Amino acid sequence: MLSSVQSLRMAATTTGARWVTCAMEACKAGAESDSRFDGVVLVSDSLNNASSHVEHLLNQSKVDAAFEDEGGIVATSHPSGRTVYAPLGALNKDFSDVRSYGEAAEKGIKRALSAGIKRPLLSLLPVANNPMYKHGNLVSVLGALQALYVPLEVREGLPEKAHKAEMLGLDCPDAESVHKLALALENGRIAGRDIGGSDPERMAPPRVEQYVRELFDGSSVNVEVISDLKTIEKEYPLFAAVNRCANDVPRHAGRVIYLRYKGSGPIEKTIYLVGKGVTYDTGGCDIKAGGIMAGMHRDKCGSAAVAAFMKVVDELKPTNVEVVGAMAMVRNSVGSNAYVSDEIITSRAGVRVRVGNTDAEGRMAMADVLCKLKEEAVNAINPQLMTIATLTGHAYLTVGEPYSIILDNGPAARQEVSKKVQEAGNLLGDMFEISTIRKEDYAFHKGKSEYEDVLQCNNLPSSRTPRGHQAPAAFIILASGLNKHGIDGAVPLPFSHLDIAAASGPFPGIPSSAPVLALARYYLPQFF
């Protein structure tokens, strides 16, 4: 075995949180003979490619006709005593993609855990000879780690359940490099799941601040937090409107959190990410009625993805790049001090915005923060901006789980950002569909009277509004002043909006941390 065992963990914090799933070790060939492992999880596209396991697996297929397609567990003569066969399924169909690797490994690990295996060895073979599967083994490891994740509240409140397994062995080609990259990505995804999936009190804005301060303490990422109410009202007026009611309850008071990283060497690229971090969305005065409010603690998954990506950046430490992640953390509460439809609020960019629906709070929370980063981007080297949000039900209905949607402004479209992000996501199973911002989307949000410049939203849900996920991207551009930085602007700024409403993970269930894998592959290709 290799001499070092690396673990996914963070030192104990004042809140009792620990950065833990289990130890993961990169192994040399033949690790199935290591007595420390009490089971092997074999991910393969065929029983005949099962190497030393082939005899046992073929024998089982003779007594179980579904075994080759569905997998299962068999007794073996290896010291571990048992093998879980996790079949990949067909990889040559029109619809085949790399997610088969992650799904097989995740299913295999879950089957191993249900069988009582506590120290599984994940055994992976050379990937299929197809460029789309070149990261197949990495995706398999990430699938296994997804299965081993334990929610933050469980880790904190039930220490005896903080680990699903004691260790995870990894036996695959290039095990050491796969292991190192998987750890970096998983550290980020854990942060994303912790923030995105935790309940609205555990991850209320002040506690998100506490979490990220602990997460990046002593790291290469600097944490800046805006919490002063007067500063928020002056510099982030649209955000302040959403925050107005929640701010009356100190434990719900909003935070604008900036995470800043600057790599060594001359800067060649500057990345700006803004995440929607609505810790609970009641809908505000346009309240979510009829039992549709449940699950709205997940409306912070955009900010969770920003924190996740910044954690990956901290782990990998790319050179020649500056990265700024912004988390717009706010609760959309309802009460006598809540903002209401018909209010006219002047944004940081000087745009008069008429509120049309208080349940369109995410775009309000992000627009001023994006404007702040736009002001920085004008003078930055090779800048690129993105917003990431669980923004619309329309996106969910348009593409369905587990797909994100990406939309480019003119400068980003000329750089083919959407296409490149989609290609990056395809390689790691973090899938995107491409949509387009059209002139009708800008017209939809144009002010309807001389009182206002821009209409924030109509008074219907996005799912009942034509172009219900495209038009909000146009609003964000207008309210932030980015419309002055299109292809006809003096300083064109590439901007893409990512609606991850359908990709953030099942509820009830574990969040996905999408789109951190696609962003890592797109922005940090040198590590893959």
Side-chain angles (χ1 to χ4, degrees), residues 318-363:
T319 59
N320 311 113
V321 66
E322 186 170 355
V323 189
V324 181
M327 304 169 67
M329 305 306 306
V330 66
R331 179 177 170 122
N332 190 21
S333 293
V334 61
S336 59
N337 200 24
Y339 84 121
V340 297
S341 296
D342 295 342
E343 287 190 39
I344 298 175
I345 304 164
T346 301
S347 75
R348 180 186 179 105
V351 178
R352 291 175 59 77
V353 175
R354 181 185 289 274
V355 178
N357 189 329
T358 63
D359 198 19
E361 81 298 330
R363 64 195 75 177

mmCIF file of all heavy atoms in Angstrom, residues 318-363:
data_model
loop_
_atom_site.group_PDB
_atom_site.id
_atom_site.type_symbol
_atom_site.label_atom_id
_atom_site.label_comp_id
_atom_site.label_asym_id
_atom_site.label_seq_id
_atom_site.Cartn_x
_atom_site.Cartn_y
_atom_site.Cartn_z
ATOM 1 N N PRO A 318 -4.561 27.103 -8.229
ATOM 2 C CA PRO A 318 -4.107 27.422 -9.590
ATOM 3 C C PRO A 318 -3.300 28.721 -9.609
ATOM 4 O O PRO A 318 -3.549 29.638 -8.827
ATOM 5 C CB PRO A 318 -5.426 27.583 -10.358
ATOM 6 C CG PRO A 318 -6.428 27.974 -9.312
ATOM 7 C CD PRO A 318 -6.024 27.215 -8.084
ATOM 8 N N THR A 319 -2.366 28.785 -10.510
ATOM 9 C CA THR A 319 -1.547 29.984 -10.676
ATOM 10 C C THR A 319 -2.155 30.895 -11.741
ATOM 11 O O THR A 319 -3.000 30.476 -12.533
ATOM 12 C CB THR A 319 -0.119 29.615 -11.091
ATOM 13 O OG1 THR A 319 -0.167 28.887 -12.326
ATOM 14 C CG2 THR A 319 0.549 28.741 -10.035
ATOM 15 N N ASN A 320 -1.732 32.138 -11.716
ATOM 16 C CA ASN A 320 -2.063 33.105 -12.778
ATOM 17 C C ASN A 320 -3.546 33.396 -12.908
ATOM 18 O O ASN A 320 -4.018 33.785 -13.971
ATOM 19 C CB ASN A 320 -1.514 32.628 -14.135
ATOM 20 C CG ASN A 320 -0.069 32.216 -14.069
ATOM 21 O OD1 ASN A 320 0.265 31.032 -14.238
ATOM 22 N ND2 ASN A 320 0.815 33.158 -13.801
ATOM 23 N N VAL A 321 -4.299 33.215 -11.833
ATOM 24 C CA VAL A 321 -5.736 33.466 -11.890
ATOM 25 C C VAL A 321 -6.191 34.120 -10.589
ATOM 26 O O VAL A 321 -5.656 33.840 -9.514
ATOM 27 C CB VAL A 321 -6.525 32.161 -12.142
ATOM 28 C CG1 VAL A 321 -6.390 31.194 -10.971
ATOM 29 C CG2 VAL A 321 -8.004 32.450 -12.402
ATOM 30 N N GLU A 322 -7.150 35.013 -10.708
ATOM 31 C CA GLU A 322 -7.809 35.602 -9.551
ATOM 32 C C GLU A 322 -9.271 35.189 -9.585
ATOM 33 O O GLU A 322 -9.920 35.267 -10.637
ATOM 34 C CB GLU A 322 -7.672 37.125 -9.573
ATOM 35 C CG GLU A 322 -8.200 37.804 -8.327
ATOM 36 C CD GLU A 322 -7.849 39.284 -8.251
ATOM 37 O OE1 GLU A 322 -7.100 39.766 -9.125
ATOM 38 O OE2 GLU A 322 -8.335 39.948 -7.315
ATOM 39 N N VAL A 323 -9.779 34.731 -8.450
ATOM 40 C CA VAL A 323 -11.160 34.249 -8.376
ATOM 41 C C VAL A 323 -11.867 34.964 -7.232
ATOM 42 O O VAL A 323 -11.357 35.015 -6.112
ATOM 43 C CB VAL A 323 -11.229 32.725 -8.151
ATOM 44 C CG1 VAL A 323 -12.674 32.237 -8.298
ATOM 45 C CG2 VAL A 323 -10.317 31.978 -9.111
ATOM 46 N N VAL A 324 -13.027 35.496 -7.513
ATOM 47 C CA VAL A 324 -13.850 36.143 -6.499
ATOM 48 C C VAL A 324 -15.221 35.464 -6.504
ATOM 49 O O VAL A 324 -15.917 35.454 -7.523
ATOM 50 C CB VAL A 324 -14.021 37.644 -6.764
ATOM 51 C CG1 VAL A 324 -14.868 38.284 -5.653
ATOM 52 C CG2 VAL A 324 -12.667 38.333 -6.873
ATOM 53 N N GLY A 325 -15.577 34.894 -5.374
ATOM 54 C CA GLY A 325 -16.894 34.292 -5.218
ATOM 55 C C GLY A 325 -17.720 35.119 -4.255
ATOM 56 O O GLY A 325 -17.237 35.489 -3.180
ATOM 57 N N ALA A 326 -18.951 35.443 -4.621
ATOM 58 C CA ALA A 326 -19.833 36.235 -3.768
ATOM 59 C C ALA A 326 -21.067 35.419 -3.415
ATOM 60 O O ALA A 326 -21.684 34.804 -4.287
ATOM 61 C CB ALA A 326 -20.234 37.530 -4.462
ATOM 62 N N MET A 327 -21.410 35.432 -2.136
ATOM 63 C CA MET A 327 -22.560 34.691 -1.636
ATOM 64 C C MET A 327 -23.576 35.697 -1.102
ATOM 65 O O MET A 327 -23.321 36.371 -0.098
ATOM 66 C CB MET A 327 -22.124 33.719 -0.538
ATOM 67 C CG MET A 327 -21.036 32.747 -0.965
ATOM 68 S SD MET A 327 -20.328 31.824 0.432
ATOM 69 C CE MET A 327 -21.722 30.803 0.932
ATOM 70 N N ALA A 328 -24.716 35.800 -1.772
ATOM 71 C CA ALA A 328 -25.775 36.721 -1.355
ATOM 72 C C ALA A 328 -26.722 35.969 -0.429
ATOM 73 O O ALA A 328 -27.703 35.370 -0.871
ATOM 74 C CB ALA A 328 -26.508 37.264 -2.578
ATOM 75 N N MET A 329 -26.420 36.003 0.867
ATOM 76 C CA MET A 329 -27.145 35.190 1.848
ATOM 77 C C MET A 329 -28.259 36.016 2.490
ATOM 78 O O MET A 329 -28.006 37.008 3.185
ATOM 79 C CB MET A 329 -26.190 34.678 2.932
ATOM 80 C CG MET A 329 -24.989 33.912 2.419
ATOM 81 S SD MET A 329 -25.364 32.514 1.320
ATOM 82 C CE MET A 329 -26.516 31.568 2.314
ATOM 83 N N VAL A 330 -29.497 35.597 2.261
ATOM 84 C CA VAL A 330 -30.636 36.356 2.767
ATOM 85 C C VAL A 330 -31.828 35.419 2.924
ATOM 86 O O VAL A 330 -31.938 34.408 2.217
ATOM 87 C CB VAL A 330 -30.979 37.518 1.798
ATOM 88 C CG1 VAL A 330 -31.465 36.986 0.456
ATOM 89 C CG2 VAL A 330 -31.964 38.501 2.400
ATOM 90 N N ARG A 331 -32.689 35.754 3.855
ATOM 91 C CA ARG A 331 -33.927 34.989 4.041
ATOM 92 C C ARG A 331 -35.093 35.825 3.536
ATOM 93 O O ARG A 331 -35.210 37.014 3.869
ATOM 94 C CB ARG A 331 -34.115 34.652 5.525
ATOM 95 C CG ARG A 331 -35.401 33.875 5.841
ATOM 96 C CD ARG A 331 -35.440 33.526 7.324
ATOM 97 N NE ARG A 331 -36.734 32.987 7.721
ATOM 98 C CZ ARG A 331 -36.920 31.793 8.283
ATOM 99 N NH1 ARG A 331 -35.864 31.014 8.497
ATOM 100 N NH2 ARG A 331 -38.105 31.378 8.626
ATOM 101 N N ASN A 332 -35.946 35.255 2.725
ATOM 102 C CA ASN A 332 -37.121 35.962 2.208
ATOM 103 C C ASN A 332 -38.282 35.703 3.149
ATOM 104 O O ASN A 332 -39.084 34.795 2.948
ATOM 105 C CB ASN A 332 -37.449 35.483 0.791
ATOM 106 C CG ASN A 332 -38.493 36.348 0.113
ATOM 107 O OD1 ASN A 332 -38.714 37.499 0.503
ATOM 108 N ND2 ASN A 332 -39.146 35.804 -0.911
ATOM 109 N N SER A 333 -38.344 36.505 4.195
ATOM 110 C CA SER A 333 -39.362 36.328 5.231
ATOM 111 C C SER A 333 -40.609 37.140 4.911
ATOM 112 O O SER A 333 -40.596 38.029 4.051
ATOM 113 C CB SER A 333 -38.798 36.748 6.593
ATOM 114 O OG SER A 333 -37.774 35.870 7.015
ATOM 115 N N VAL A 334 -41.673 36.850 5.639
ATOM 116 C CA VAL A 334 -42.934 37.569 5.457
ATOM 117 C C VAL A 334 -43.347 38.153 6.806
ATOM 118 O O VAL A 334 -43.207 37.519 7.850
ATOM 119 C CB VAL A 334 -44.020 36.644 4.883
ATOM 120 C CG1 VAL A 334 -44.309 35.471 5.808
ATOM 121 C CG2 VAL A 334 -45.294 37.416 4.570
ATOM 122 N N GLY A 335 -43.806 39.379 6.773
ATOM 123 C CA GLY A 335 -44.206 40.065 8.002
ATOM 124 C C GLY A 335 -44.504 41.518 7.717
ATOM 125 O O GLY A 335 -44.485 41.968 6.556
ATOM 126 N N SER A 336 -44.754 42.285 8.781
ATOM 127 C CA SER A 336 -45.170 43.679 8.607
ATOM 128 C C SER A 336 -44.080 44.545 7.983
ATOM 129 O O SER A 336 -44.370 45.596 7.401
ATOM 130 C CB SER A 336 -45.586 44.272 9.952
ATOM 131 O OG SER A 336 -44.520 44.213 10.885
ATOM 132 N N ASN A 337 -42.819 44.114 8.063
ATOM 133 C CA ASN A 337 -41.713 44.892 7.516
ATOM 134 C C ASN A 337 -41.213 44.329 6.185
ATOM 135 O O ASN A 337 -40.162 44.722 5.695
ATOM 136 C CB ASN A 337 -40.559 44.957 8.527
ATOM 137 C CG ASN A 337 -39.613 46.108 8.261
ATOM 138 O OD1 ASN A 337 -39.997 47.109 7.645
ATOM 139 N ND2 ASN A 337 -38.375 45.972 8.693
ATOM 140 N N ALA A 338 -41.955 43.410 5.612
ATOM 141 C CA ALA A 338 -41.520 42.790 4.352
ATOM 142 C C ALA A 338 -41.697 43.752 3.184
ATOM 143 O O ALA A 338 -42.599 44.602 3.186
ATOM 144 C CB ALA A 338 -42.317 41.520 4.098
ATOM 145 N N TYR A 339 -40.849 43.614 2.189
ATOM 146 C CA TYR A 339 -41.038 44.397 0.969
ATOM 147 C C TYR A 339 -42.241 43.848 0.212
ATOM 148 O O TYR A 339 -42.623 42.686 0.385
ATOM 149 C CB TYR A 339 -39.764 44.426 0.134
ATOM 150 C CG TYR A 339 -39.494 43.264 -0.814
ATOM 151 C CD1 TYR A 339 -39.338 43.497 -2.173
ATOM 152 C CD2 TYR A 339 -39.344 41.948 -0.369
ATOM 153 C CE1 TYR A 339 -39.045 42.471 -3.063
ATOM 154 C CE2 TYR A 339 -39.052 40.917 -1.241
ATOM 155 C CZ TYR A 339 -38.911 41.185 -2.594
ATOM 156 O OH TYR A 339 -38.619 40.161 -3.456
ATOM 157 N N VAL A 340 -42.867 44.688 -0.580
ATOM 158 C CA VAL A 340 -44.105 44.291 -1.249
ATOM 159 C C VAL A 340 -44.051 44.663 -2.724
ATOM 160 O O VAL A 340 -43.249 45.501 -3.153
ATOM 161 C CB VAL A 340 -45.339 44.973 -0.593
ATOM 162 C CG1 VAL A 340 -45.494 44.528 0.857
ATOM 163 C CG2 VAL A 340 -45.234 46.492 -0.686
ATOM 164 N N SER A 341 -44.920 44.047 -3.484
ATOM 165 C CA SER A 341 -45.074 44.421 -4.887
ATOM 166 C C SER A 341 -45.502 45.888 -4.983
ATOM 167 O O SER A 341 -46.168 46.415 -4.093
ATOM 168 C CB SER A 341 -46.116 43.527 -5.555
ATOM 169 O OG SER A 341 -45.681 42.185 -5.565
ATOM 170 N N ASP A 342 -45.088 46.514 -6.054
ATOM 171 C CA ASP A 342 -45.340 47.921 -6.378
ATOM 172 C C ASP A 342 -44.293 48.866 -5.802
ATOM 173 O O ASP A 342 -44.251 50.040 -6.201
ATOM 174 C CB ASP A 342 -46.736 48.411 -5.940
ATOM 175 C CG ASP A 342 -47.863 47.709 -6.678
ATOM 176 O OD1 ASP A 342 -47.591 47.118 -7.743
ATOM 177 O OD2 ASP A 342 -49.001 47.736 -6.197
ATOM 178 N N GLU A 343 -43.454 48.400 -4.868
ATOM 179 C CA GLU A 343 -42.369 49.262 -4.410
ATOM 180 C C GLU A 343 -41.423 49.548 -5.573
ATOM 181 O O GLU A 343 -41.190 48.694 -6.434
ATOM 182 C CB GLU A 343 -41.577 48.600 -3.280
ATOM 183 C CG GLU A 343 -42.291 48.548 -1.954
ATOM 184 C CD GLU A 343 -41.358 48.092 -0.830
ATOM 185 O OE1 GLU A 343 -40.177 48.493 -0.813
ATOM 186 O OE2 GLU A 343 -41.825 47.323 0.037
ATOM 187 N N ILE A 344 -40.864 50.760 -5.582
ATOM 188 C CA ILE A 344 -39.852 51.123 -6.566
ATOM 189 C C ILE A 344 -38.554 51.382 -5.826
ATOM 190 O O ILE A 344 -38.495 52.225 -4.921
ATOM 191 C CB ILE A 344 -40.273 52.361 -7.377
ATOM 192 C CG1 ILE A 344 -41.557 52.062 -8.167
ATOM 193 C CG2 ILE A 344 -39.150 52.779 -8.327
ATOM 194 C CD1 ILE A 344 -42.122 53.258 -8.901
ATOM 195 N N ILE A 345 -37.524 50.624 -6.190
ATOM 196 C CA ILE A 345 -36.242 50.665 -5.494
ATOM 197 C C ILE A 345 -35.159 50.941 -6.522
ATOM 198 O O ILE A 345 -35.125 50.311 -7.587
ATOM 199 C CB ILE A 345 -35.969 49.320 -4.780
ATOM 200 C CG1 ILE A 345 -37.126 48.974 -3.834
ATOM 201 C CG2 ILE A 345 -34.640 49.367 -4.019
ATOM 202 C CD1 ILE A 345 -37.135 47.530 -3.396
ATOM 203 N N THR A 346 -34.274 51.860 -6.206
ATOM 204 C CA THR A 346 -33.170 52.172 -7.108
ATOM 205 C C THR A 346 -31.988 51.262 -6.803
ATOM 206 O O THR A 346 -31.492 51.242 -5.671
ATOM 207 C CB THR A 346 -32.752 53.640 -6.980
ATOM 208 O OG1 THR A 346 -33.881 54.474 -7.281
ATOM 209 C CG2 THR A 346 -31.620 53.970 -7.957
ATOM 210 N N SER A 347 -31.549 50.513 -7.797
ATOM 211 C CA SER A 347 -30.460 49.549 -7.606
ATOM 212 C C SER A 347 -29.122 50.259 -7.471
ATOM 213 O O SER A 347 -28.998 51.468 -7.691
ATOM 214 C CB SER A 347 -30.408 48.580 -8.785
ATOM 215 O OG SER A 347 -29.860 49.210 -9.941
ATOM 216 N N ARG A 348 -28.113 49.507 -7.109
ATOM 217 C CA ARG A 348 -26.756 50.040 -7.011
ATOM 218 C C ARG A 348 -26.320 50.682 -8.327
ATOM 219 O O ARG A 348 -25.576 51.665 -8.342
ATOM 220 C CB ARG A 348 -25.794 48.909 -6.626
ATOM 221 C CG ARG A 348 -24.334 49.356 -6.483
ATOM 222 C CD ARG A 348 -23.428 48.160 -6.254
ATOM 223 N NE ARG A 348 -22.032 48.587 -6.141
ATOM 224 C CZ ARG A 348 -21.341 48.660 -5.011
ATOM 225 N NH1 ARG A 348 -21.924 48.333 -3.875
ATOM 226 N NH2 ARG A 348 -20.079 49.052 -5.012
ATOM 227 N N ALA A 349 -26.812 50.137 -9.432
ATOM 228 C CA ALA A 349 -26.454 50.645 -10.755
ATOM 229 C C ALA A 349 -27.258 51.879 -11.146
ATOM 230 O O ALA A 349 -27.072 52.406 -12.248
ATOM 231 C CB ALA A 349 -26.649 49.552 -11.800
ATOM 232 N N GLY A 350 -28.152 52.342 -10.252
ATOM 233 C CA GLY A 350 -28.950 53.521 -10.553
ATOM 234 C C GLY A 350 -30.181 53.236 -11.373
ATOM 235 O O GLY A 350 -30.789 54.155 -11.939
ATOM 236 N N VAL A 351 -30.599 51.972 -11.431
ATOM 237 C CA VAL A 351 -31.762 51.557 -12.205
ATOM 238 C C VAL A 351 -32.981 51.507 -11.286
ATOM 239 O O VAL A 351 -32.941 50.881 -10.221
ATOM 240 C CB VAL A 351 -31.524 50.177 -12.849
ATOM 241 C CG1 VAL A 351 -32.753 49.722 -13.623
ATOM 242 C CG2 VAL A 351 -30.304 50.216 -13.749
ATOM 243 N N ARG A 352 -34.060 52.190 -11.687
ATOM 244 C CA ARG A 352 -35.286 52.191 -10.886
ATOM 245 C C ARG A 352 -36.075 50.916 -11.183
ATOM 246 O O ARG A 352 -36.534 50.701 -12.312
ATOM 247 C CB ARG A 352 -36.118 53.439 -11.177
ATOM 248 C CG ARG A 352 -35.443 54.712 -10.650
ATOM 249 C CD ARG A 352 -36.207 55.967 -11.054
ATOM 250 N NE ARG A 352 -37.584 55.987 -10.573
ATOM 251 C CZ ARG A 352 -37.952 56.272 -9.315
ATOM 252 N NH1 ARG A 352 -37.014 56.555 -8.414
ATOM 253 N NH2 ARG A 352 -39.218 56.284 -8.974
ATOM 254 N N VAL A 353 -36.214 50.085 -10.166
ATOM 255 C CA VAL A 353 -36.826 48.756 -10.316
ATOM 256 C C VAL A 353 -38.167 48.743 -9.602
ATOM 257 O O VAL A 353 -38.252 49.027 -8.399
ATOM 258 C CB VAL A 353 -35.905 47.667 -9.712
ATOM 259 C CG1 VAL A 353 -36.605 46.307 -9.750
ATOM 260 C CG2 VAL A 353 -34.580 47.611 -10.461
ATOM 261 N N ARG A 354 -39.227 48.418 -10.342
ATOM 262 C CA ARG A 354 -40.534 48.218 -9.709
ATOM 263 C C ARG A 354 -40.701 46.745 -9.370
ATOM 264 O O ARG A 354 -40.553 45.869 -10.241
ATOM 265 C CB ARG A 354 -41.684 48.651 -10.622
ATOM 266 C CG ARG A 354 -43.063 48.455 -9.956
ATOM 267 C CD ARG A 354 -44.208 48.767 -10.895
ATOM 268 N NE ARG A 354 -44.339 50.191 -11.169
ATOM 269 C CZ ARG A 354 -45.014 51.069 -10.415
ATOM 270 N NH1 ARG A 354 -45.598 50.648 -9.296
ATOM 271 N NH2 ARG A 354 -45.094 52.332 -10.764
ATOM 272 N N VAL A 355 -41.005 46.461 -8.123
ATOM 273 C CA VAL A 355 -41.222 45.085 -7.681
ATOM 274 C C VAL A 355 -42.569 44.608 -8.217
ATOM 275 O O VAL A 355 -43.595 45.272 -8.041
ATOM 276 C CB VAL A 355 -41.190 44.977 -6.140
ATOM 277 C CG1 VAL A 355 -41.475 43.537 -5.696
ATOM 278 C CG2 VAL A 355 -39.841 45.448 -5.609
ATOM 279 N N GLY A 356 -42.564 43.474 -8.870
ATOM 280 C CA GLY A 356 -43.788 42.882 -9.398
ATOM 281 C C GLY A 356 -44.233 41.649 -8.644
ATOM 282 O O GLY A 356 -45.411 41.282 -8.662
ATOM 283 N N ASN A 357 -43.283 41.005 -7.960
ATOM 284 C CA ASN A 357 -43.593 39.759 -7.259
ATOM 285 C C ASN A 357 -42.490 39.522 -6.233
ATOM 286 O O ASN A 357 -41.327 39.371 -6.603
ATOM 287 C CB ASN A 357 -43.658 38.599 -8.265
ATOM 288 C CG ASN A 357 -44.183 37.311 -7.662
ATOM 289 O OD1 ASN A 357 -43.993 37.042 -6.484
ATOM 290 N ND2 ASN A 357 -44.843 36.503 -8.486
ATOM 291 N N THR A 358 -42.851 39.482 -4.964
ATOM 292 C CA THR A 358 -41.826 39.311 -3.924
ATOM 293 C C THR A 358 -41.216 37.922 -3.921
ATOM 294 O O THR A 358 -40.195 37.694 -3.273
ATOM 295 C CB THR A 358 -42.402 39.609 -2.530
ATOM 296 O OG1 THR A 358 -43.436 38.662 -2.222
ATOM 297 C CG2 THR A 358 -42.961 41.019 -2.467
ATOM 298 N N ASP A 359 -41.822 36.993 -4.662
ATOM 299 C CA ASP A 359 -41.259 35.645 -4.771
ATOM 300 C C ASP A 359 -40.185 35.567 -5.849
ATOM 301 O O ASP A 359 -39.642 34.505 -6.110
ATOM 302 C CB ASP A 359 -42.380 34.635 -5.059
ATOM 303 C CG ASP A 359 -41.961 33.204 -4.757
ATOM 304 O OD1 ASP A 359 -40.975 33.018 -4.014
ATOM 305 O OD2 ASP A 359 -42.613 32.269 -5.262
ATOM 306 N N ALA A 360 -39.868 36.706 -6.448
ATOM 307 C CA ALA A 360 -38.741 36.778 -7.391
ATOM 308 C C ALA A 360 -37.575 37.458 -6.688
ATOM 309 O O ALA A 360 -36.948 38.371 -7.208
ATOM 310 C CB ALA A 360 -39.147 37.538 -8.642
ATOM 311 N N GLU A 361 -37.296 36.980 -5.477
ATOM 312 C CA GLU A 361 -36.307 37.619 -4.605
ATOM 313 C C GLU A 361 -34.871 37.296 -4.978
ATOM 314 O O GLU A 361 -33.953 38.052 -4.686
ATOM 315 C CB GLU A 361 -36.560 37.224 -3.145
ATOM 316 C CG GLU A 361 -36.023 35.871 -2.716
ATOM 317 C CD GLU A 361 -36.627 34.680 -3.459
ATOM 318 O OE1 GLU A 361 -37.803 34.769 -3.870
ATOM 319 O OE2 GLU A 361 -35.925 33.664 -3.629
ATOM 320 N N GLY A 362 -34.642 36.163 -5.634
ATOM 321 C CA GLY A 362 -33.273 35.750 -5.923
ATOM 322 C C GLY A 362 -32.561 36.714 -6.843
ATOM 323 O O GLY A 362 -31.396 37.068 -6.633
ATOM 324 N N ARG A 363 -33.249 37.154 -7.873
ATOM 325 C CA ARG A 363 -32.653 38.107 -8.815
ATOM 326 C C ARG A 363 -32.371 39.438 -8.125
ATOM 327 O O ARG A 363 -31.407 40.134 -8.443
ATOM 328 C CB ARG A 363 -33.563 38.274 -10.030
ATOM 329 C CG ARG A 363 -34.913 38.881 -9.740
ATOM 330 C CD ARG A 363 -35.926 38.705 -10.866
ATOM 331 N NE ARG A 363 -36.430 37.338 -10.924
ATOM 332 C CZ ARG A 363 -37.365 36.934 -11.783
ATOM 333 N NH1 ARG A 363 -37.870 37.789 -12.665
ATOM 334 N NH2 ARG A 363 -37.780 35.692 -11.788
#
